[in-house]
């Protein structure tokens, strides 16, 4: 048996000014051919699970590409074609394909990156059995469902179950190849543009929906059940909440389960809208707390959802508030990093930090922040994730520096990276567990690495293209009406 195993992932924020060419995938760690297998074998990723299943079956393994980039603007056509063509060219002669995809990829040449790939794959190899893992923030489309055999999405946010779901859907495909099951799928959606900050699976309303999906999977004949929160910053018709269920030959049972999941989501639609709070008020609450670490979330500038990671609004407010013993991860500013490297460790410098990117989608200009401090640490920015999310994956933050103002230690990186693991601090000599305040440019993924040490968490509503107020974004392609943008 010959199995095609590949990864092609990007969460596209169509409002983001950050360009997404092939180089952005390379910076995360794009791999072609045998290098793709070497990079992900033994990791806690879906591709790692696929490789384990293939080895157990004694199959020949073909890994044409493993490519992922931090969320950003639409994927360049050349980059999309490079990844898609690698998969398509490797498919002839394979008995099945196991793909690690995202579900919210928008490219210059297609608004449905995953659906287009799967459709072209089936055209190239009609009837090819295909299993797919998808992110919880997938914007599911008819084209995706029509062109694969079985699919599943993560049931955790932060995504700590990637290997688990990869193994689950991989086993479904392997059983179908043996004739033990006959997978059929049903899917649907509801007009809810859920806010990402309201999708944490440890919180309501998502927790109950995930529990329902898990319960559905225990029913006879059900092979997989998924509820997707969707990705609201992709301006495409299908953005929003959806569900898919895989059943063993029983299409009606799959559809009933899909409707049950979506009806439950619709009943809780008001809980998917985020309530805002003035920054000053939130910082006042933070200052009154007596025990730390206290997590401060700059969620509107989260590169993990396509943010610039160089908006200074929240950091400026924290410094003006006079908070002490603060560690910040991370500000993207490769120019500032080079200035600090030229100065050298121990030198006191004054630099203009961040604010290098304008955000036309929200009518905002980049505004740098003048900061004076001592160069504390310089690093190549390379480390390995040891926490529960992306376990075993190499991180490449690029040349990295820490600027210490006396009250605030700022981790400054040359490549975008969301702080979902404590390594973003420990790799540059900062112990997050002994720091009073941790200012993180993150939404929910921070929980994977930092929830175990956090005493309190406070969201700070700053500025950025990952805003939690979708009303300030101009949607042109999104289906309407949709809650909460419209009164339905």
């Amino acid at each position: 048996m010959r199995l095609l195993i590949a990864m092609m992932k990007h969460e596209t924020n169509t409002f983001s000014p950050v360009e997404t060419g092939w180089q952005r995938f390379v910076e995360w760690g794009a791999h072609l051919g045998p290098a793709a297998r070497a990079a992900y074998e033994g990791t806690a990723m879906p591709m790692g699970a696929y490789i384990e299943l293939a080895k157990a079956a004694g199959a020949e393994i073909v890994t044409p590409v493993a490519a992922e980039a931090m969320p950003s603007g639409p994927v360049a056509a050349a980059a999309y074609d490079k990844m898609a063509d690698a998969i398509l060219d490797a498919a002839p002669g394979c008995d099945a394909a196991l793909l690690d995809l995202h579900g919210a990829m928008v490219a210059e040449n297609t608004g449905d990156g995953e659906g287009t790939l799967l459709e072209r794959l089936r055209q190239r190899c009609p009837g090819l059995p295909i299993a797919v893992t998808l992110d919880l923030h997938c914007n599911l489309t008819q084209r995706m469902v029509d062109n694969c055999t079985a699919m599943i999405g993560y049931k955790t946010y932060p995504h700590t179950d990637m290997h688990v779901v990869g193994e689950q859907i991989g086993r479904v495909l392997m059983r179908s190849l043996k004739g033990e099951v006959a997978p059929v799928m049903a899917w649907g959606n509801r007009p809810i543009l859920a806010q990402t900050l309201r999708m944490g699976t440890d919180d309501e309303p998502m927790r109950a929906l995930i529990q329902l999906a898990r319960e559905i999977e225990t029913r006879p004949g059900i092979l997989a059940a998924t509820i997707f929160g969707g990705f609201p910053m992709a301006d495409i018709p299908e953005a929003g909440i959806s569900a898919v269920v895989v059943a063993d030959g029983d299409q009606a049972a799959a559809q009933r389960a899909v409707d049950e999941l979506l009806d439950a989501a619709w009943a809780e639609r008001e809980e998917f809208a985020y309530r805002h709070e003035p920054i000053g008020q939130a910082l006042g609450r933070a200052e009154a707390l007596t025990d730390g670490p206290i997590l401060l979330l700059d969620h509107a500038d989260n590169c993990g959802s396509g943010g610039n990671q160089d908006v200074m609004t929240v950091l400026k407010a924290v410094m003006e508030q006079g908070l002490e013993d603060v560690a910040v991860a991370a500000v993207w500013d490769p120019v500032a990093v080079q200035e600090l490297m030229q100065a050298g460790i121990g030198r006191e410098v004054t630099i203009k930090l961040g604010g290098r990117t304008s955000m036309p989608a929200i009518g905002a200009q980049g505004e740098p922040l003048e900061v004076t401090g001592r160069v504390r640490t310089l690093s190549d920015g390379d480390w390995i994730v040891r926490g529960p999310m992306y376990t075993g994956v190499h991180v490449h933050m690029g040349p990295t520096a820490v600027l210490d103002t006396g009250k605030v230690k700022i981790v400054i990186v040359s490549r975008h990276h969301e702080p979902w693991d404590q390594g973003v601090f420990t790799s540059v000599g900062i112990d997050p567990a002994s720091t009073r305040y941790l200012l993180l440019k993150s939404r929910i993924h921070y929980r994977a690495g930092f929830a175990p040490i956090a005493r309190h968490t406070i969201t700070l509503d700053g500025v950025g293209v990952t805003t939690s107020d979708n009303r300030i974004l101009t949607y042109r392609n999104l289906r309407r009406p949709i809650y909460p943008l419209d009164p339905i």
Side-chain angles (χ1 to χ4, degrees):
M1 183 164 54
R2 182 180 174 91
L3 296 178
L4 188 160
I5 298 175
M7 181 176 79
M8 173 177 161
K9 298 170 76 168
H10 187 255
E11 184 177 77
T12 305
N13 182 332
T14 57
F15 303 100
S16 174
V18 181
E19 295 182 355
T20 313
W22 175 244
Q23 182 59 32
R24 188 163 178 83
F25 289 89
V26 171
E27 289 175 355
W28 178 258
H31 307 276
L32 300 173
R37 174 174 177 173
Y40 285 94
E41 186 169 4
T43 67
M45 303 290 286
M47 193 162 170
Y50 291 158
I51 292 171
E52 289 176 13
L53 289 172
K55 288 169 62 178
E60 178 185 353
I61 300 173
V62 180
T63 56
V65 62
E68 180 176 12
M70 288 299 293
S72 45
V75 177
Y80 179 84
D81 289 342
K82 186 179 184 72
M83 295 180 288
D85 289 348
I87 294 172
L88 296 170
D89 291 345
C94 290
D95 296 292
L98 298 101
L99 303 179
D100 179 7
L101 308 178
H102 185 285
M105 178 184 286
V106 179
E108 292 175 338
N109 49 346
T110 174
D112 181 6
E114 292 81 3
T116 298
L117 169 70
L118 293 169
E119 183 177 70
R120 291 175 63 191
L121 187 55
R122 276 283 172 81
Q123 289 171 350
R124 179 74 65 92
C125 302
L128 180 71
I130 304 171
V132 175
T133 56
L134 296 162
D135 194 282
L136 181 138
H137 300 112
C138 164
N139 291 323
L140 193 59
T141 70
Q142 184 72 57
R143 188 183 291 179
M144 293 183 206
V145 177
D146 287 347
N147 291 285
C148 73
T149 306
M151 61 169 53
I152 194 171
Y154 309 150
K155 289 184 175 65
T156 58
Y157 181 29
H159 308 322
T160 57
D161 65 336
M162 294 190 224
H163 189 281
V164 172
V165 299
E167 182 178 5
Q168 181 179 346
I169 208 65
R171 288 191 182 282
V172 169
L173 187 73
M174 300 300 281
R175 292 181 65 198
S176 74
L177 294 176
K178 297 176 182 178
E180 296 175 357
V181 293
V184 296
M185 290 189 290
W187 83 286
N189 57 34
R190 290 288 186 275
I192 307 172
L193 193 67
Q195 182 42 248
T196 314
L197 263 175
R198 302 296 299 146
M199 295 186 203
T201 52
D202 289 331
D203 311 324
E204 299 298 350
M206 208 65 191
R207 179 170 60 181
L209 294 174
I210 294 298
Q211 288 174 345
L212 177 57
R214 293 187 188 282
E215 187 276 318
I216 288 171
E217 288 183 332
T218 67
R219 298 175 188 175
I222 300 298
L223 303 174
T226 305
I227 181 78
F228 296 106
F231 187 58
M233 282 152 288
D235 184 15
I236 63 171
E238 297 87 355
I241 285 180
S242 61
V244 63
V245 173
V246 186
D248 183 8
D250 192 339
Q251 186 79 39
Q255 189 62 58
R256 286 194 299 272
V258 165
D259 293 340
E260 186 177 354
L261 281 166
L262 293 175
D263 288 347
W266 181 253
E268 298 296 326
R269 60 190 178 280
E270 293 183 5
E271 297 304 313
F272 282 108
Y274 173 72
R275 275 76 177 177
H276 295 266
E277 179 183 19
I279 291 181
Q281 180 175 310
L283 286 175
R285 291 195 294 112
E287 196 170 21
L289 298 170
T290 58
D291 55 336
I294 300 162
L295 305 187
L296 307 174
L297 304 182
D298 185 3
H299 58 92
D301 189 35
N302 165 30
C303 74
S305 293
N308 318 341
Q309 205 177 352
D310 71 347
V311 180
M312 297 291 98
T313 306
V314 170
L315 177 56
K316 180 180 179 181
V318 166
M319 295 177 73
E320 290 178 344
Q321 188 80 14
L323 299 186
E324 299 185 12
D325 192 14
V326 183
V328 182
V331 174
W332 173 82
D333 192 337
V335 175
V337 171
Q338 290 305 312
E339 291 178 359
L340 298 181
M341 287 191 163
Q342 290 174 11
I345 291 177
R347 294 292 299 275
E348 183 171 297
V349 297
T350 298
I351 62 171
K352 292 188 179 298
L353 180 63
R356 300 191 183 276
T357 314
S358 295
M359 297 164 282
I362 60 173
Q365 297 294 317
E367 297 182 9
L369 177 65
E370 186 170 278
V371 182
T372 298
R374 181 174 61 85
V375 182
R376 179 185 180 93
T377 307
L378 298 173
S379 164
D380 62 6
D382 285 2
W383 48 279
I384 299 175
V385 178
R386 302 300 184 191
M389 178 177 164
Y390 279 76
T391 309
V393 173
H394 284 73
V395 171
H396 310 281
M397 300 190 299
T400 298
V402 177
L403 184 64
D404 188 347
T405 72
K407 294 182 179 180
V408 182
K409 299 181 183 71
I410 309 168
V411 180
I412 310 169
V413 298
S414 299
R415 295 177 179 174
H416 295 96
H417 178 70
E418 182 179 358
W420 62 61
D421 187 86
Q422 293 184 36
V424 72
F425 288 120
T426 59
S427 67
V428 291
I430 298 173
D431 178 11
S434 61
T435 304
R436 178 168 173 75
Y437 298 101
L438 299 174
L439 175 56
L440 306 175
K441 285 182 176 287
S442 180
R443 288 188 191 275
I444 300 291
H445 278 326
Y446 73 89
R447 295 180 181 178
F450 295 94
I453 65 172
R455 295 293 180 267
H456 307 277
T457 302
I458 294 179
T459 54
L460 301 177
D461 299 339
V463 175
V465 294
T466 66
T467 175
S468 294
D469 185 358
N470 295 335
R471 295 170 300 177
I472 74 172
L473 301 173
T474 302
Y475 290 93
R476 294 182 172 85
N477 303 306
L478 182 67
R479 58 187 156 140
R480 304 296 287 265
I482 191 167
Y483 184 86
L485 299 181
D486 304 302
I488 57 174

